[in-house]
Amino acid sequence: MGVVNVTPDSFSDGGRFHDPERAIAHGRRLLAEGADILDVGGESTRPGATRPLLAEELDRVVPVIEALAADGAVVSVDTMRAEVADRAVAAGATIVNDVSGGLADPEILDVVARTGARYVAMHWRAHSDRMQQFATYDDGVVVGVVDELAERVAALRAAGVADEQVVLDPGLGFAKHGEQNWELLRHLDALADLGFPLLVGASRKTFLGRLLADVHGEPRPVAEREDAGVALTALLGAGLGRAEVWCLRVHAVRAHRDALEVAAQLAGTQLAGTQLAGTQHVGSQLKETRDRRPAEGAAGRQEQR
Ligand code: PMM
């Protein structure tokens, strides 16, 4: 999954693709690099971020989704808002990527149930302006994340969302401090035991920067974390997370794709059968979902993650 942030303030790509035309061009470039999915987002979720207005978010993402979906791309919308999810699906998105797992705007679950879109439920506790205050887990981060994602699954089922629509995500960097992210990555099997495909978003995040801190303890800057992210992709591809990862959300698609090719080759498997397991299979399901969609649509210094 390649990231297309249509935001003026994303921590990882700093507003470079804020203009819709540039965002569309960027999405096309990521497709050419081998992305299976394009994740279009209009709200930055870096720690400390304030939220855009609904109208701003819609203006940012809808034209980009329309253009990329018209190209035939599988598009996901990165939003916490029901209204944005609804309009995005009408514009051609087939996946709703909700970093709040339905907690920020519970009506998003009704949109997902009604449209049949795939739904990524990420582990989340609070909005970005205060989320790092919530990084306490009484029974450890793995148990906490698994239990809270299980609650989200119950809410999804109650709203009428089918299990086949659901993907789970540990939410690296969201209400988690450095080591907690590694703990989750070492125990992805505990999440996989919930019985859903997994999505992992580690790309360029601060826990990688902290790992590579300089002698003064300063985290490695965002622009210099890519190699560590690619190494992580290769190792997850090789199974070191102890579970199959259905999807990796990354910024520099080509390098990560190459890493997965290497891991698959070394393991003697086909890429689609390993790290991006089910991508082709799921891709055809997604296309069916899109085809089933009703024509008119269903209705100071900033901290880094
Ligand atoms: N991380 C970010 C945004 N959206 N979505 C999912 N499902 N998982 C993530 O880890 C995730 C996400 C923040 O990163 P960005 O600012 O680079 O987009």
Side-chain angles (χ1 to χ4, degrees):
M1 171 185 277
V3 178
V4 182
N5 280 326
V6 200
T7 56
D9 56 347
S10 169
F11 89 96
S12 54
D13 40 25
R16 284 168 55 212
F17 311 113
H18 187 201
D19 164 44
E21 288 309 317
R22 290 176 73 177
I24 293 163
H26 183 59
R28 289 180 176 147
R29 204 159 39 240
L30 296 183
L31 278 181
E33 290 182 14
D36 295 303
I37 301 168
L38 296 178
D39 189 38
V40 179
E43 171 173 358
S44 168
T45 51
R46 65 171 163 66
T50 49
R51 307 199 67 193
L53 297 172
L54 169 66
E56 279 173 330
E57 193 183 343
L58 284 168
D59 285 349
R60 289 173 188 176
V61 299
V62 170
V64 177
I65 291 169
E66 271 170 358
L68 294 173
D71 284 354
V74 174
V75 178
S76 121
V77 61
D78 188 341
T79 188
M80 294 183 253
R81 288 183 166 127
E83 173 82 18
V84 177
D86 209 356
R87 296 274 296 279
V89 172
T94 52
I95 306 174
V96 174
N97 174 25
D98 177 1
V99 298
S100 83
L103 288 169
D105 182 355
E107 287 179 19
I108 203 167
L109 304 187
D110 302 327
V111 173
V112 172
R114 176 160 45 80
T115 59
R118 269 245 160 174
Y119 182 70
V120 181
M122 199 192 80
H123 177 264
W124 182 92
R125 285 183 160 183
H127 283 290
S128 300
D129 53 355
R130 55 197 191 103
M131 66 181 170
Q132 294 307 75
Q133 300 164 25
F134 292 88
T136 304
Y137 297 84
D138 292 341
D139 299 314
V141 68
V142 176
V143 170
V145 168
V146 168
D147 286 354
E148 288 168 35
L149 281 177
E151 285 170 19
R152 300 323 302 150
V153 168
L156 283 158
R157 287 176 174 154
V161 177
D163 282 3
E164 297 69 42
Q165 289 171 255
V166 179
V167 175
L168 298 179
D169 180 335
L172 301 178
F174 289 79
K176 281 133 206 133
H177 294 308
E179 175 53 27
Q180 292 168 333
N181 297 290
W182 291 109
E183 197 60 18
L184 285 163
L185 284 166
R186 287 185 203 109
H187 295 97
L188 290 177
D189 50 341
L191 265 74
D193 285 348
L194 290 173
F196 297 89
L198 298 183
L199 187 150
V200 172
S203 185
R204 300 183 181 171
K205 288 188 176 169
T206 297
F207 75 97
L208 295 175
R210 289 203 197 290
L211 176 74
L212 305 170
D214 66 17
V215 287
H216 307 294
E218 275 299 307
R220 179 79 66 81
V222 176
E224 296 167 35
R225 296 175 189 163
E226 202 60 51
D227 294 353
V230 172
L232 181 61
T233 288
L235 296 171
L236 289 177
L240 250 71
R242 298 202 219 160
E244 196 170 80
V245 178
W246 174 72
C247 183
L248 290 159
R249 183 180 180 279
V250 301
H251 298 85
V253 167
R254 187 182 166 117
H256 291 266
R257 185 95 207 179
D258 288 356
L260 290 176
E261 292 286 359
V262 170
Q265 183 68 16
L266 197 58
T269 52
Q270 294 281 314
L271 185 54
T274 54
Q275 300 73 33
L276 292 178
T279 296
Q280 288 178 342
H281 173 62
V282 172
S284 56
Q285 284 178 353
L286 291 171
K287 190 170 173 312
E288 281 162 32
T289 305
R290 185 163 54 206
D291 292 345
R292 272 192 278 118
R293 183 168 48 80
E296 61 285 1
R301 185 167 150 243
Q302 292 154 341
E303 199 197 341
Q304 298 156 353
R305 177 172 292 109

